[in-house]
Amino acid sequence: MGKSSVASVVGFGCVVILALAGCTSPTPAPSASAGTPSVSPTAELSSAPASRFDVVCDDLVSAAELEALFGGNAYEARMSWGPSVSPVTYAVQNIGGLSCTWGNDDVPVSGIANPAYDELTVQVIPDATAAQLDLHTGDHPLDDAPAFGDTSGTTCFAQAGLCTSNIVVGQAWIEVFLQGADVADIASDADVQALASPALSAITERVAAAANRAAPVAAVTARTDCDVILPAATVQSVFHTEELPVHSQYSSGGWSVMTGAATLAGVARCIVGPAGSEVAHANLELLPHGAWVFEDAQVARGVWENHEAVSVEGVTQQAYLSCPVGTVAACAVDFVVGDDWVRLGSSINGQRPIEDGDRGQVLELAGHVASALA
């Protein structure tokens, strides 16, 4: 397939895990056991939220359109894959939106380009308001020509075969991320946009024709008690830090479909690190009513296939850990408390490969967080 050389651009899905930046230090053995545990029967979990749109991922993009974008690869729609499994990304579905991904798993790691990487992610949220769009368009003017839908803005880069597009049609806000477009190395930015335009037009038309089939989802107020659910003193104890860290809320920066959905869904975010420092020892994301992502049907679909099944002290439902020893990456453990999905992350901030002790720290801290949330 005649692809351009891909620049050091990290795909949509990779961004969320890499946001768990920070540093760690040696730790004692974990209080929660790793491996595949025996867990007690789970409480009844919430079911997957109903989409506001009467279309599914396979309706949004056809096989022919995928082939035009990527060449002869038989990609099938999936809600997400390993790198993009996080409470923030799933907030789109929690408010009745659509979140669909096509592509492969050759995700760039640590900013190292991977020419084999393909990704098309389409996210749609219903009932977009003028206030939401104003927040986004302050940094991302919707002024390209020709426009898609009622208004749109699309930016493409030939070097990476990459396009980002925001489209408003009716009250639906569509965000598209494309990387790995099948264009020649000498292609211009305009050539990449020309390749992407038929798919963008088709997606827009299909969303515009979709009927709302469920009632609007009420906005949820995010928790702000970071000092209770992720106490700085507890983080200091687990990480054996000499300096007392401080807790704070944090945002993902900018305004987009994903951040807008996270706001409406009530995603809570907490971060703990040394005062005055940009690094962090630990951070937390909580998606209210997100326990459905841990249901058997979601597990069978492979949502957690790139994670390790673990147990967290005080948690009866299966938890999932992403913390590969020997790699330079973030550590995160995902678990359920009540009806909420909690992600707790720690990171060594690229300073050294992950060690066994790093896994122990994030699992030990997860037990404390579960207790605080119970």
Side-chain angles (χ1 to χ4, degrees), residues 46 94 287-294 336 339-341:
S46 61
N94 252 39
L287 176 61
H289 314 304
W292 62 273
V293 184
F294 294 74
V336 171
D339 192 37
D340 302 335
W341 171 6

Side-chain angles (χ1 to χ4, degrees), residues 209-233:
N212 285 348
R213 66 178 185 184
V217 177
V220 178
T221 301
R223 296 184 64 146
T224 59
D225 54 343
C226 292
D227 56 329
V228 173
I229 59 180
L230 188 65

Side-chain angles (χ1 to χ4, degrees), residues 1-6 158-159 183-188:
M1 176 166 65
K3 285 200 178 166
S4 62
S5 58
V6 180
Q159 186 180 13
V183 293
D185 290 340
I186 60 173
S188 66

Side-chain angles (χ1 to χ4, degrees), residues 23-32 234-241 281 323 331 346 348 352 354-366 368:
C23 58
T24 59
S25 57
T27 181
S31 60
T234 301
V235 174
Q236 181 189 32
S237 174
V238 172
F239 287 87
H240 303 287
T241 61
H281 295 308
C323 191
C331 288
S346 68
I348 57 178
R352 58 170 174 76
I354 291 173
E355 300 172 355
D356 283 331
D358 300 315
R359 295 160 54 87
Q361 284 177 328
V362 72
L363 286 171
E364 180 183 354
L365 187 58
H368 292 292

Side-chain angles (χ1 to χ4, degrees), residues 56-323:
V56 295
C57 295
D58 287 333
D59 298 325
L60 284 182
V61 182
S62 70
E65 289 157 352
L66 289 171
E67 185 171 353
L69 291 174
F70 298 124
N73 292 301
Y75 294 136
E76 296 181 356
R78 43 188 172 172
M79 290 173 64
S80 69
W81 72 107
S84 65
V85 178
S86 79
V88 170
T89 56
Y90 274 73
V92 173
Q93 287 111 282
N94 252 39
I95 66 166
L98 295 170
S99 184
C100 310
T101 292
W102 298 260
N104 58 31
D105 293 309
D106 298 320
V107 180
V109 177
S110 301
I112 300 173
N114 188 345
Y117 181 50
D118 291 341
E119 177 187 343
L120 174 65
T121 292
V122 181
Q123 296 190 299
V124 189
I125 59 173
D127 309 316
T129 66
Q132 291 173 327
L133 298 177
D134 286 345
L135 285 170
H136 178 79
T137 57
D139 295 325
H140 308 275
L142 304 181
D143 58 1
D144 74 340
F148 304 103
D150 300 325
T151 184
S152 66
T154 301
T155 303
C156 298
F157 302 95
Q159 186 180 13
L162 182 151
C163 286
T164 61
S165 185
N166 280 269
I167 302 165
V168 179
V169 56
Q171 288 187 296
W173 180 0
I174 308 167
E175 189 168 271
V176 180
F177 177 91
L178 166 67
Q179 185 167 343
D182 188 18
V183 293
D185 290 340
I186 60 173
S188 66
D189 295 351
D191 291 331
V192 180
Q193 180 157 336
L195 179 69
S197 289
L200 295 176
S201 295
I203 291 167
T204 304
E205 292 171 2
R206 290 159 191 160
V207 171
N212 285 348
R213 66 178 185 184
V217 177
V220 178
T221 301
R223 296 184 64 146
T224 59
D225 54 343
C226 292
D227 56 329
V228 173
I229 59 180
L230 188 65
T234 301
V235 174
Q236 181 189 32
S237 174
V238 172
F239 287 87
H240 303 287
T241 61
E242 295 181 0
E243 180 181 5
L244 180 64
V246 296
H247 63 265
S248 65
Q249 294 175 268
Y250 71 98
S251 64
S252 59
W255 189 262
S256 63
V257 161
M258 190 166 67
T259 54
T263 299
L264 293 173
V267 174
R269 301 183 178 99
C270 304
I271 189 168
V272 175
S277 174
E278 294 183 357
V279 299
H281 295 308
N283 52 39
L284 176 147
E285 292 177 346
L286 183 151
L287 176 61
H289 314 304
W292 62 273
V293 184
F294 294 74
E295 291 178 343
D296 289 344
Q298 301 301 322
V299 174
R301 291 185 62 181
V303 169
W304 302 105
E305 65 182 355
N306 294 326
H307 297 69
E308 177 186 349
V310 296
S311 64
V312 170
E313 185 174 352
V315 175
T316 58
Q317 173 64 11
Q318 186 76 76
Y320 296 94
L321 175 69
S322 176
C323 191

